[in-house]
Amino acid sequence: MGIGFEEIEDSLVGPELDRELRELLVLCFPATTQFLEHRHFLEPPAHRWLLRDQSQLIGHVCLHRKFIGSAQGELKIGGIAEVCIHPDHRGRGLVRLMLNELHQWDKNSDFQMLFGDERVYRSSGYRTVHNPLRYFDTTHQIWDYKPLAGTMIRPANKTNWPDGPIDLRGPVF
Ligand SMILES: CC(C)(COP(=O)(O)OP(=O)(O)OC[C@H]1O[C@@H](n2cnc3c(N)ncnc32)[C@H](O)[C@@H]1OP(=O)(O)O)[C@@H](O)C(=O)NCCC(=O)NCCS
């Protein structure tokens, strides 16, 4: 098995990789029409990790650099998004492997944060939090304020996760 990771800045993605990424994202997120147009959901991420089996792209995760507001002051967040594994390669622990690679790299964040299913991410060190979030709802073009189901965080250093409101200062990712 020739599985390997690559890390790449999103700004350095060329046309061939862009095509490969959109193909995988459309396959894994068929309801997300944004990927028919471009390789990001709402905002372009800073970095991407690619998982390849031989030359085939079989997995992907990306990271947004975020500074979010809290009662404890500003927190540095690695915003995790577009976690996906090609259907032929699921159920083998590849999400855990891929996130572990990202965690080793993203040492400067206070926390990694994502929106997803607890059953998928718990074994990678994430836990659900229930803070009310202020965020920009791009569908209705309004700022909203409420807890969002599936908000999960992983401590990347010894900072305590704050109670109370969190200001995402932009859309969810
Ligand atoms: C979700 C997805 C990334 C999981 O990939 P995978 O390679 O099967 O995941 P892994 O084998 O690494 O499993 C990691 C954990 O997730 C759990 N898991 C995987 N798929 C699951 C599912 N559909 N429902 C519940 N738990 C699931 C596994 O049981 C495992 O838990 P454990 O570590 O506690 O044993 C993959 O199914 C996928 O790409 N789906 C489409 C895109 C998507 O929904 N991405 C998530 C967006 S939040």
Side-chain angles (χ1 to χ4, degrees):
M1 193 171 63
I3 285 200
F5 295 97
E6 291 163 39
E7 177 275 322
I8 185 166
E9 263 182 54
D10 185 64
S11 58
L12 299 179
V13 171
E16 175 57 20
L17 179 53
D18 176 68
R19 185 194 58 72
E20 283 184 287
L21 279 168
R22 282 192 292 121
E23 211 172 276
L24 182 67
L25 290 166
V26 166
L27 180 69
C28 292
F29 299 97
T32 307
T33 53
Q34 282 89 342
F35 297 136
L36 296 168
E37 304 288 328
H38 44 65
R39 63 180 180 269
H40 61 269
F41 174 44
L42 297 174
E43 297 178 305
H47 292 273
R48 295 178 184 272
W49 281 260
L50 314 172
L51 180 61
R52 288 189 187 275
D53 184 2
Q54 311 296 339
S55 62
Q56 190 198 359
L57 183 64
I58 61 163
H60 169 264
V61 56
C62 67
L63 179 130
H64 297 265
R65 288 252 163 260
K66 299 272 176 190
F67 290 92
I68 63 175
S70 84
Q72 220 168 268
E74 191 159 84
L75 297 172
K76 195 171 177 187
I77 293 291
I80 311 297
E82 281 120 69
V83 177
C84 62
I85 298 290
H86 188 287
D88 294 347
H89 296 267
R90 290 179 189 166
R92 298 160 53 190
L94 293 178
V95 164
R96 283 199 305 277
L97 263 186
M98 208 164 58
L99 286 175
N100 187 47
E101 192 78 11
L102 182 155
H103 298 153
Q104 295 305 317
W105 188 91
D106 184 32
K107 294 279 193 199
N108 288 328
S109 292
D110 296 315
F111 296 91
Q112 282 92 31
M113 184 177 195
L114 57 78
F115 301 91
D117 184 329
E118 193 175 50
R119 293 169 300 175
V120 174
Y121 300 106
R122 202 168 26 211
S123 62
S124 294
Y126 290 79
R127 69 178 166 90
T128 300
V129 293
H130 303 282
N131 310 62
L133 300 183
R134 178 176 179 272
Y135 68 99
F136 189 66
D137 174 347
T138 54
T139 307
H140 303 101
Q141 294 287 303
I142 53 163
W143 286 93
D144 207 345
Y145 178 72
K146 62 184 176 201
L148 289 179
T151 306
M152 301 189 73
I153 57 112
R154 173 189 177 273
N157 59 28
K158 293 205 174 352
T159 308
N160 288 321
W161 180 253
D163 291 329
I166 295 290
D167 189 353
L168 281 191
R169 300 177 175 163
V172 296
F173 38 85

